[in-house]
Amino acid sequence: MSLSLFDTFKNIIVLDTETSGLSFKEDEIIELAMLRVQNSPAGYTIAEEFDELIRLSDGKELPQKIIELTGITPFMLATQGRGKQEVCRELERFFSVEKPLVVAYNAQFDMCFLYFFLKKYGDPTVLRNIKMLDAMAVYKDRRAFPHKLCNAIEEYNVDAVNSHRAIDDTKAAFKLLLKMAEEKDDLIRYINLFGYSPKYGVSGPRFSSVTYVPHGFEPGIPLYEKKDY
């Protein structure tokens, strides 16, 4: 199928990060994957794929629970990981293409990590005015709790695995996006619209270009209609 999002955007960049923890300021990205997708007569084509491990900063350690969750080890990061400045240049290049839309599952998490990553090692202005879509916000509007990527994959019968490796989760998120668009083609209304838990609030800093709306655990009124209340 062909996404109607391509009526507005020339490039859809689906991304995912694996990190050493949950703190945007203190922890680090240890793996970054990106798919740059374009429209084609067949529906879509992956124009470019990026998947790299990133070396930890000197003195940083990788928690055992992260090793167990992702299968990424300190040895892998030390021997296969790329430098942070080098990865930032690739990230900036991806985001500088013509008419991009950035898509992630739980985009607030990934984009906060990317902002602090770019602020320290690259150029964070590349995120200025960027258009974003949080696939998890769409899923929360359509299905009841729980709302992890693995739940969405199962619910939509997506031919993919949630491996906690960035490239696998990126490909799964794009396949999920296609399934959700086929079910109801309203994805354009979620651009720069993020939901958050009324109990815990917005996690991390708010992006000035994003509208934040309280999101419950059960489907109901779409998030894009709530924002007008």
Side-chain angles (χ1 to χ4, degrees), residues 2-12 37 39 97-102 131-133 185-191:
S2 180
L3 282 171
S4 65
L5 289 171
F6 284 116
D7 295 340
T8 304
F9 302 98
K10 186 171 183 179
N11 292 277
I12 294 179
V37 186
N39 205 4
V97 296
E98 184 180 358
K99 294 182 180 178
L101 170 67
V102 175
K131 302 297 185 182
M132 297 175 277
L133 190 155
D185 193 11
D186 62 349
L187 301 185
I188 194 70
R189 302 190 69 178
Y190 288 89
I191 302 301

Side-chain angles (χ1 to χ4, degrees), residues 26-38:
E26 301 298 328
D27 294 311
E28 299 189 352
I29 299 173
I30 57 174
E31 185 181 26
L32 172 65
M34 296 181 286
L35 299 177
R36 183 167 65 84
V37 186
Q38 293 183 324

Side-chain angles (χ1 to χ4, degrees), residues 86-141:
E86 183 182 4
V87 174
C88 275
R89 288 193 293 270
E90 289 295 318
L91 180 59
E92 291 160 12
R93 182 178 63 80
F94 261 74
F95 279 25
S96 298
V97 296
E98 184 180 358
K99 294 182 180 178
L101 170 67
V102 175
V103 177
Y105 196 90
N106 192 8
Q108 176 72 9
F109 179 87
D110 292 302
M111 297 308 295
C112 282
F113 263 98
L114 290 179
Y115 171 76
F116 284 108
F117 183 58
L118 287 164
K119 185 177 180 181
K120 192 169 184 179
Y121 302 105
D123 179 13
T125 63
V126 73
L127 299 180
R128 188 176 297 159
N129 300 320
I130 200 77
K131 302 297 185 182
M132 297 175 277
L133 190 155
D134 182 9
M136 187 173 74
V138 182
Y139 183 67
K140 282 186 173 183
D141 270 355

Side-chain angles (χ1 to χ4, degrees), residues 12-51:
I12 294 179
I13 300 167
V14 190
L15 62 82
D16 185 66
T17 62
E18 298 300 333
T19 65
S20 62
L22 300 178
S23 173
F24 313 112
K25 295 182 179 180
E26 301 298 328
D27 294 311
E28 299 189 352
I29 299 173
I30 57 174
E31 185 181 26
L32 172 65
M34 296 181 286
L35 299 177
R36 183 167 65 84
V37 186
Q38 293 183 324
N39 205 4
S40 74
Y44 69 88
T45 181
I46 297 177
E48 196 170 2
E49 182 176 321
F50 179 88
D51 177 32

Side-chain angles (χ1 to χ4, degrees), residues 216-228:
F217 288 104
E218 301 296 327
I221 300 172
L223 204 62
Y224 51 78
E225 293 183 4
K226 289 181 181 178
K227 75 181 181 67
D228 297 324

Side-chain angles (χ1 to χ4, degrees), residues 160-224:
V161 294
N162 175 208
S163 69
H164 295 291
R165 288 299 302 267
I167 191 61
D168 290 337
D169 291 357
T170 296
K171 291 177 178 179
F174 183 65
K175 290 180 179 179
L176 173 65
L177 196 72
L178 292 173
K179 289 275 191 176
M180 292 193 297
E182 186 175 12
E183 179 183 55
K184 184 178 181 181
D185 193 11
D186 62 349
L187 301 185
I188 194 70
R189 302 190 69 178
Y190 288 89
I191 302 301
N192 283 12
L193 180 63
F194 289 2
Y196 67 89
S197 167
K199 182 177 180 179
Y200 299 107
V202 176
S203 176
R206 293 180 180 235
F207 291 91
S208 60
S209 59
V210 171
T211 299
Y212 292 89
V213 180
H215 219 165
F217 288 104
E218 301 296 327
I221 300 172
L223 204 62
Y224 51 78

